[in-house]
PDB file of all heavy atoms in Angstrom:
ATOM      1  N   ALA A   1     226.730 -31.579  -9.069  1.00  0.00           N
ATOM      2  CA  ALA A   1     227.666 -32.303  -8.184  1.00  0.00           C
ATOM      3  C   ALA A   1     227.536 -31.828  -6.741  1.00  0.00           C
ATOM      4  O   ALA A   1     228.175 -32.566  -5.833  1.00  0.00           O
ATOM      5  CB  ALA A   1     229.131 -32.039  -8.607  1.00  0.00           C
ATOM      6  N   TRP A   2     226.748 -30.906  -6.429  1.00  0.00           N
ATOM      7  CA  TRP A   2     226.403 -30.463  -5.087  1.00  0.00           C
ATOM      8  C   TRP A   2     224.889 -30.782  -4.758  1.00  0.00           C
ATOM      9  O   TRP A   2     224.532 -31.613  -3.895  1.00  0.00           O
ATOM     10  CB  TRP A   2     226.711 -29.113  -4.698  1.00  0.00           C
ATOM     11  CG  TRP A   2     226.484 -28.737  -3.284  1.00  0.00           C
ATOM     12  CD1 TRP A   2     225.282 -28.401  -2.674  1.00  0.00           C
ATOM     13  CD2 TRP A   2     227.428 -28.884  -2.162  1.00  0.00           C
ATOM     14  NE1 TRP A   2     225.419 -28.198  -1.358  1.00  0.00           N
ATOM     15  CE2 TRP A   2     226.716 -28.467  -0.955  1.00  0.00           C
ATOM     16  CE3 TRP A   2     228.779 -29.166  -2.187  1.00  0.00           C
ATOM     17  CZ2 TRP A   2     227.403 -28.426   0.255  1.00  0.00           C
ATOM     18  CZ3 TRP A   2     229.463 -29.132  -0.885  1.00  0.00           C
ATOM     19  CH2 TRP A   2     228.709 -28.822   0.201  1.00  0.00           C
ATOM     20  N   SER A   3     224.068 -30.166  -5.483  1.00  0.00           N
ATOM     21  CA  SER A   3     222.599 -30.224  -5.161  1.00  0.00           C
ATOM     22  C   SER A   3     222.112 -31.656  -5.398  1.00  0.00           C
ATOM     23  O   SER A   3     221.024 -32.025  -4.791  1.00  0.00           O
ATOM     24  CB  SER A   3     221.866 -29.174  -5.944  1.00  0.00           C
ATOM     25  OG  SER A   3     222.095 -29.244  -7.295  1.00  0.00           O
ATOM     26  N   GLY A   4     222.573 -32.361  -6.399  1.00  0.00           N
ATOM     27  CA  GLY A   4     222.153 -33.768  -6.593  1.00  0.00           C
ATOM     28  C   GLY A   4     222.986 -34.724  -5.695  1.00  0.00           C
ATOM     29  O   GLY A   4     222.268 -35.699  -5.263  1.00  0.00           O
ATOM     30  N   ALA A   5     224.136 -34.462  -5.492  1.00  0.00           N
ATOM     31  CA  ALA A   5     224.970 -35.366  -4.658  1.00  0.00           C
ATOM     32  C   ALA A   5     224.713 -35.293  -3.168  1.00  0.00           C
ATOM     33  O   ALA A   5     225.002 -36.235  -2.403  1.00  0.00           O
ATOM     34  CB  ALA A   5     226.470 -35.063  -4.867  1.00  0.00           C
ATOM     35  N   MET A   6     224.053 -34.224  -2.729  1.00  0.00           N
ATOM     36  CA  MET A   6     223.922 -33.979  -1.277  1.00  0.00           C
ATOM     37  C   MET A   6     222.970 -34.974  -0.606  1.00  0.00           C
ATOM     38  O   MET A   6     222.929 -35.064   0.617  1.00  0.00           O
ATOM     39  CB  MET A   6     223.458 -32.554  -0.936  1.00  0.00           C
ATOM     40  CG  MET A   6     222.110 -32.138  -1.399  1.00  0.00           C
ATOM     41  SD  MET A   6     221.874 -30.414  -0.958  1.00  0.00           S
ATOM     42  CE  MET A   6     220.067 -30.314  -1.411  1.00  0.00           C
ATOM     43  N   PHE A   7     222.195 -35.688  -1.394  1.00  0.00           N
ATOM     44  CA  PHE A   7     221.477 -36.783  -0.763  1.00  0.00           C
ATOM     45  C   PHE A   7     222.092 -38.078  -0.459  1.00  0.00           C
ATOM     46  O   PHE A   7     221.868 -38.729   0.510  1.00  0.00           O
ATOM     47  CB  PHE A   7     220.180 -37.107  -1.697  1.00  0.00           C
ATOM     48  CG  PHE A   7     219.258 -35.913  -1.887  1.00  0.00           C
ATOM     49  CD1 PHE A   7     219.480 -35.124  -2.876  1.00  0.00           C
ATOM     50  CD2 PHE A   7     218.264 -35.642  -0.943  1.00  0.00           C
ATOM     51  CE1 PHE A   7     218.607 -33.964  -3.063  1.00  0.00           C
ATOM     52  CE2 PHE A   7     217.456 -34.583  -1.095  1.00  0.00           C
ATOM     53  CZ  PHE A   7     217.539 -33.714  -2.238  1.00  0.00           C
ATOM     54  N   THR A   8     223.066 -38.500  -1.435  1.00  0.00           N
ATOM     55  CA  THR A   8     223.656 -39.867  -1.355  1.00  0.00           C
ATOM     56  C   THR A   8     225.169 -39.774  -1.054  1.00  0.00           C
ATOM     57  O   THR A   8     225.621 -40.883  -0.654  1.00  0.00           O
ATOM     58  CB  THR A   8     223.461 -40.510  -2.722  1.00  0.00           C
ATOM     59  OG1 THR A   8     224.068 -39.676  -3.767  1.00  0.00           O
ATOM     60  CG2 THR A   8     222.042 -40.817  -2.997  1.00  0.00           C
ATOM     61  N   HIS A   9     225.746 -38.697  -1.156  1.00  0.00           N
ATOM     62  CA  HIS A   9     227.266 -38.589  -0.816  1.00  0.00           C
ATOM     63  C   HIS A   9     227.361 -38.274   0.641  1.00  0.00           C
ATOM     64  O   HIS A   9     227.720 -37.189   1.156  1.00  0.00           O
ATOM     65  CB  HIS A   9     227.828 -37.572  -1.706  1.00  0.00           C
ATOM     66  CG  HIS A   9     227.996 -37.952  -3.101  1.00  0.00           C
ATOM     67  ND1 HIS A   9     226.934 -38.336  -3.851  1.00  0.00           N
ATOM     68  CD2 HIS A   9     229.004 -37.950  -4.011  1.00  0.00           C
ATOM     69  CE1 HIS A   9     227.253 -38.679  -5.107  1.00  0.00           C
ATOM     70  NE2 HIS A   9     228.592 -38.428  -5.251  1.00  0.00           N
ATOM     71  N   THR A  10     227.060 -39.309   1.438  1.00  0.00           N
ATOM     72  CA  THR A  10     226.842 -39.032   2.905  1.00  0.00           C
ATOM     73  C   THR A  10     228.146 -38.876   3.729  1.00  0.00           C
ATOM     74  O   THR A  10     228.106 -38.611   4.891  1.00  0.00           O
ATOM     75  CB  THR A  10     226.029 -40.190   3.465  1.00  0.00           C
ATOM     76  OG1 THR A  10     226.828 -41.416   3.268  1.00  0.00           O
ATOM     77  CG2 THR A  10     224.678 -40.265   2.905  1.00  0.00           C
ATOM     78  N   LYS A  11     229.256 -39.015   2.980  1.00  0.00           N
ATOM     79  CA  LYS A  11     230.524 -38.717   3.691  1.00  0.00           C
ATOM     80  C   LYS A  11     231.051 -37.342   3.069  1.00  0.00           C
ATOM     81  O   LYS A  11     231.536 -36.499   3.781  1.00  0.00           O
ATOM     82  CB  LYS A  11     231.536 -39.744   3.510  1.00  0.00           C
ATOM     83  CG  LYS A  11     232.869 -39.648   4.150  1.00  0.00           C
ATOM     84  CD  LYS A  11     232.796 -39.932   5.645  1.00  0.00           C
ATOM     85  CE  LYS A  11     232.603 -41.439   5.753  1.00  0.00           C
ATOM     86  NZ  LYS A  11     232.479 -41.709   7.330  1.00  0.00           N
ATOM     87  N   ASP A  12     230.936 -37.239   1.672  1.00  0.00           N
ATOM     88  CA  ASP A  12     231.666 -36.145   0.974  1.00  0.00           C
ATOM     89  C   ASP A  12     231.040 -34.790   1.201  1.00  0.00           C
ATOM     90  O   ASP A  12     231.639 -33.785   1.491  1.00  0.00           O
ATOM     91  CB  ASP A  12     231.648 -36.391  -0.471  1.00  0.00           C
ATOM     92  CG  ASP A  12     232.137 -37.841  -0.824  1.00  0.00           C
ATOM     93  OD1 ASP A  12     233.343 -38.125  -0.692  1.00  0.00           O
ATOM     94  OD2 ASP A  12     231.284 -38.774  -1.103  1.00  0.00           O
ATOM     95  N   VAL A  13     229.645 -34.780   1.095  1.00  0.00           N
ATOM     96  CA  VAL A  13     228.954 -33.502   1.337  1.00  0.00           C
ATOM     97  C   VAL A  13     228.947 -32.958   2.743  1.00  0.00           C
ATOM     98  O   VAL A  13     229.263 -31.814   2.974  1.00  0.00           O
ATOM     99  CB  VAL A  13     227.576 -33.607   0.805  1.00  0.00           C
ATOM    100  CG1 VAL A  13     226.657 -32.388   1.190  1.00  0.00           C
ATOM    101  CG2 VAL A  13     227.539 -33.684  -0.768  1.00  0.00           C
ATOM    102  N   PRO A  14     228.709 -33.865   3.814  1.00  0.00           N
ATOM    103  CA  PRO A  14     228.908 -33.327   5.096  1.00  0.00           C
ATOM    104  C   PRO A  14     230.318 -32.875   5.413  1.00  0.00           C
ATOM    105  O   PRO A  14     230.498 -31.891   6.141  1.00  0.00           O
ATOM    106  CB  PRO A  14     228.555 -34.629   5.988  1.00  0.00           C
ATOM    107  CG  PRO A  14     227.557 -35.360   5.156  1.00  0.00           C
ATOM    108  CD  PRO A  14     228.083 -35.183   3.793  1.00  0.00           C
ATOM    109  N   PHE A  15     231.280 -33.523   4.938  1.00  0.00           N
ATOM    110  CA  PHE A  15     232.720 -33.078   5.130  1.00  0.00           C
ATOM    111  C   PHE A  15     232.818 -31.681   4.467  1.00  0.00           C
ATOM    112  O   PHE A  15     233.446 -30.789   4.990  1.00  0.00           O
ATOM    113  CB  PHE A  15     233.650 -34.120   4.553  1.00  0.00           C
ATOM    114  CG  PHE A  15     235.084 -33.668   4.671  1.00  0.00           C
ATOM    115  CD1 PHE A  15     235.749 -33.573   5.835  1.00  0.00           C
ATOM    116  CD2 PHE A  15     235.798 -33.323   3.471  1.00  0.00           C
ATOM    117  CE1 PHE A  15     237.093 -33.135   5.922  1.00  0.00           C
ATOM    118  CE2 PHE A  15     237.125 -32.919   3.515  1.00  0.00           C
ATOM    119  CZ  PHE A  15     237.741 -32.828   4.792  1.00  0.00           C
ATOM    120  N   ALA A  16     232.357 -31.557   3.252  1.00  0.00           N
ATOM    121  CA  ALA A  16     232.517 -30.202   2.546  1.00  0.00           C
ATOM    122  C   ALA A  16     231.777 -29.150   3.286  1.00  0.00           C
ATOM    123  O   ALA A  16     232.265 -28.112   3.401  1.00  0.00           O
ATOM    124  CB  ALA A  16     232.008 -30.440   1.157  1.00  0.00           C
ATOM    125  N   ALA A  17     230.626 -29.422   3.934  1.00  0.00           N
ATOM    126  CA  ALA A  17     229.910 -28.514   4.612  1.00  0.00           C
ATOM    127  C   ALA A  17     230.644 -28.037   5.879  1.00  0.00           C
ATOM    128  O   ALA A  17     230.783 -26.756   6.174  1.00  0.00           O
ATOM    129  CB  ALA A  17     228.520 -29.119   5.080  1.00  0.00           C
ATOM    130  N   THR A  18     231.295 -28.994   6.605  1.00  0.00           N
ATOM    131  CA  THR A  18     232.077 -28.566   7.763  1.00  0.00           C
ATOM    132  C   THR A  18     233.328 -27.795   7.370  1.00  0.00           C
ATOM    133  O   THR A  18     233.687 -26.857   8.043  1.00  0.00           O
ATOM    134  CB  THR A  18     232.493 -29.818   8.640  1.00  0.00           C
ATOM    135  OG1 THR A  18     233.223 -30.734   7.842  1.00  0.00           O
ATOM    136  CG2 THR A  18     231.270 -30.468   9.166  1.00  0.00           C
ATOM    137  N   MET A  19     233.863 -28.158   6.177  1.00  0.00           N
ATOM    138  CA  MET A  19     235.078 -27.366   5.763  1.00  0.00           C
ATOM    139  C   MET A  19     234.727 -25.946   5.401  1.00  0.00           C
ATOM    140  O   MET A  19     235.528 -25.045   5.606  1.00  0.00           O
ATOM    141  CB  MET A  19     235.637 -28.112   4.614  1.00  0.00           C
ATOM    142  CG  MET A  19     236.374 -29.493   4.996  1.00  0.00           C
ATOM    143  SD  MET A  19     237.886 -29.231   5.874  1.00  0.00           S
ATOM    144  CE  MET A  19     239.026 -28.784   4.518  1.00  0.00           C
ATOM    145  N   VAL A  20     233.641 -25.738   4.780  1.00  0.00           N
ATOM    146  CA  VAL A  20     233.314 -24.250   4.330  1.00  0.00           C
ATOM    147  C   VAL A  20     232.965 -23.451   5.598  1.00  0.00           C
ATOM    148  O   VAL A  20     233.301 -22.336   5.670  1.00  0.00           O
ATOM    149  CB  VAL A  20     232.174 -24.273   3.300  1.00  0.00           C
ATOM    150  CG1 VAL A  20     230.797 -24.532   3.901  1.00  0.00           C
ATOM    151  CG2 VAL A  20     232.171 -22.897   2.727  1.00  0.00           C
ATOM    152  N   TRP A  21     232.381 -24.176   6.623  1.00  0.00           N
ATOM    153  CA  TRP A  21     232.200 -23.344   7.934  1.00  0.00           C
ATOM    154  C   TRP A  21     233.486 -23.133   8.592  1.00  0.00           C
ATOM    155  O   TRP A  21     233.661 -22.082   9.126  1.00  0.00           O
ATOM    156  CB  TRP A  21     231.200 -24.111   8.813  1.00  0.00           C
ATOM    157  CG  TRP A  21     229.869 -23.948   8.374  1.00  0.00           C
ATOM    158  CD1 TRP A  21     229.065 -24.691   7.587  1.00  0.00           C
ATOM    159  CD2 TRP A  21     228.936 -22.791   8.720  1.00  0.00           C
ATOM    160  NE1 TRP A  21     227.780 -24.127   7.457  1.00  0.00           N
ATOM    161  CE2 TRP A  21     227.648 -22.958   8.186  1.00  0.00           C
ATOM    162  CE3 TRP A  21     229.253 -21.621   9.538  1.00  0.00           C
ATOM    163  CZ2 TRP A  21     226.686 -22.014   8.326  1.00  0.00           C
ATOM    164  CZ3 TRP A  21     228.212 -20.731   9.743  1.00  0.00           C
ATOM    165  CH2 TRP A  21     226.991 -20.926   9.106  1.00  0.00           C
ATOM    166  N   ALA A  22     234.424 -24.056   8.565  1.00  0.00           N
ATOM    167  CA  ALA A  22     235.716 -23.728   9.074  1.00  0.00           C
ATOM    168  C   ALA A  22     236.403 -22.606   8.297  1.00  0.00           C
ATOM    169  O   ALA A  22     237.104 -21.766   8.857  1.00  0.00           O
ATOM    170  CB  ALA A  22     236.624 -24.996   8.943  1.00  0.00           C
ATOM    171  N   LEU A  23     236.247 -22.650   6.983  1.00  0.00           N
ATOM    172  CA  LEU A  23     236.731 -21.500   6.190  1.00  0.00           C
ATOM    173  C   LEU A  23     236.205 -20.172   6.580  1.00  0.00           C
ATOM    174  O   LEU A  23     236.824 -19.214   6.574  1.00  0.00           O
ATOM    175  CB  LEU A  23     236.587 -21.894   4.732  1.00  0.00           C
ATOM    176  CG  LEU A  23     237.314 -20.983   3.615  1.00  0.00           C
ATOM    177  CD1 LEU A  23     238.760 -21.122   3.782  1.00  0.00           C
ATOM    178  CD2 LEU A  23     236.856 -21.572   2.257  1.00  0.00           C
ATOM    179  N   TYR A  24     234.859 -20.227   6.745  1.00  0.00           N
ATOM    180  CA  TYR A  24     234.194 -19.003   7.154  1.00  0.00           C
ATOM    181  C   TYR A  24     234.701 -18.426   8.462  1.00  0.00           C
ATOM    182  O   TYR A  24     235.062 -17.181   8.505  1.00  0.00           O
ATOM    183  CB  TYR A  24     232.621 -19.269   7.261  1.00  0.00           C
ATOM    184  CG  TYR A  24     231.933 -18.185   7.824  1.00  0.00           C
ATOM    185  CD1 TYR A  24     231.668 -16.937   7.125  1.00  0.00           C
ATOM    186  CD2 TYR A  24     231.234 -18.316   9.085  1.00  0.00           C
ATOM    187  CE1 TYR A  24     230.885 -15.901   7.682  1.00  0.00           C
ATOM    188  CE2 TYR A  24     230.512 -17.278   9.624  1.00  0.00           C
ATOM    189  CZ  TYR A  24     230.254 -16.199   8.941  1.00  0.00           C
ATOM    190  OH  TYR A  24     229.515 -15.052   9.438  1.00  0.00           O
ATOM    191  N   PHE A  25     234.890 -19.256   9.446  1.00  0.00           N
ATOM    192  CA  PHE A  25     235.366 -18.823  10.738  1.00  0.00           C
ATOM    193  C   PHE A  25     236.928 -18.401  10.675  1.00  0.00           C
ATOM    194  O   PHE A  25     237.319 -17.551  11.376  1.00  0.00           O
ATOM    195  CB  PHE A  25     235.047 -19.737  11.850  1.00  0.00           C
ATOM    196  CG  PHE A  25     233.633 -19.677  12.217  1.00  0.00           C
ATOM    197  CD1 PHE A  25     232.691 -20.751  11.942  1.00  0.00           C
ATOM    198  CD2 PHE A  25     233.027 -18.692  12.856  1.00  0.00           C
ATOM    199  CE1 PHE A  25     231.456 -20.821  12.325  1.00  0.00           C
ATOM    200  CE2 PHE A  25     231.686 -18.605  13.225  1.00  0.00           C
ATOM    201  CZ  PHE A  25     230.890 -19.627  12.978  1.00  0.00           C
ATOM    202  N   THR A  26     237.587 -19.124   9.822  1.00  0.00           N
ATOM    203  CA  THR A  26     239.102 -18.774   9.646  1.00  0.00           C
ATOM    204  C   THR A  26     239.121 -17.352   9.056  1.00  0.00           C
ATOM    205  O   THR A  26     239.932 -16.619   9.504  1.00  0.00           O
ATOM    206  CB  THR A  26     239.726 -19.780   8.690  1.00  0.00           C
ATOM    207  OG1 THR A  26     239.814 -21.098   9.309  1.00  0.00           O
ATOM    208  CG2 THR A  26     241.096 -19.371   8.330  1.00  0.00           C
TER     209      THR A  26
END
């Protein structure tokens, strides 16, 4: 659901990526 989806889920995976970086800096 991540490594396969990251090619075609062009809204969901980029959003998830930015969210985990926000979590890291939080």
Side-chain angles (χ1 to χ4, degrees):
W2 184 275
S3 56
M6 67 183 185
F7 296 94
T8 56
H9 291 51
T10 57
K11 185 79 68 179
D12 312 285
V13 168
F15 177 70
T18 57
M19 288 291 281
V20 73
W21 278 96
L23 191 60
Y24 171 69
F25 285 111
T26 293

